[in-house]
């Protein structure tokens, strides 16, 4: 099957932009967690980091290791799914309920 070079380059560019933006958001959340010593913000930053790293690791696996599309999606999912689990966990604080 011939590869479409334009589509490959576009996919890599879009993935890179998503990873950079995701990394910026994760680092901002981490800085906020450090300033406030908030466990929820820490979990949020780790979840955002994992969600941002999923496409990066998948793309690196595809380019460096020659993984096929299904394997690349599996690698991405192995980071994105736990990242979303951390995001969900960050929204449900443990302990006494917060007052509005």
């Amino acid at each position: 099957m011939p590869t479409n070079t334009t589509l490959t380059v576009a996919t890599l560019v879009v993935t890179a932009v998503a990873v950079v933006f995701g990394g910026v958001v994760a680092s901002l959340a981490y800085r906020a967690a450090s300033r406030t010593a908030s466990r929820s913000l820490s979990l949020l930053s780790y979840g955002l980091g994992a969600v941002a790293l999923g496409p990066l690791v998948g793309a690196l696996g595809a380019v460096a290791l020659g993984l096929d599309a299904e394997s690349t999606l599996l690698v991405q999912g192995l980071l994105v799914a736990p990242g979303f689990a951390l995001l969900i966990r960050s929204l449900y604080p443990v302990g006494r309920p917060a007052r509005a």
Side-chain angles (χ1 to χ4, degrees):
M1 172 189 277
T3 59
N4 185 342
T5 306
T6 304
L7 183 59
T8 302
V9 170
T11 302
L12 290 175
V13 168
V14 169
T15 300
V17 169
V19 168
V20 168
F21 286 165
V24 169
V25 172
S27 68
L28 290 173
Y30 181 78
R31 287 176 48 197
S34 296
R35 280 194 310 271
T36 62
S38 169
R39 177 165 166 76
S40 291
L41 278 175
S42 292
L43 291 173
L44 178 75
S45 69
Y46 300 145
L48 289 169
V51 169
L53 280 178
L56 174 66
V57 174
L60 289 176
V63 172
L65 303 175
L67 296 178
D68 60 354
E70 291 84 8
S71 299
T72 300
L73 289 174
L74 176 63
V75 169
Q76 287 179 6
L78 288 173
L79 284 170
V80 171
F84 279 124
L86 285 170
L87 292 175
I88 291 169
R89 174 63 185 87
S90 75
L91 297 174
Y92 292 99
V94 176
R96 60 189 161 143
R99 296 192 182 244

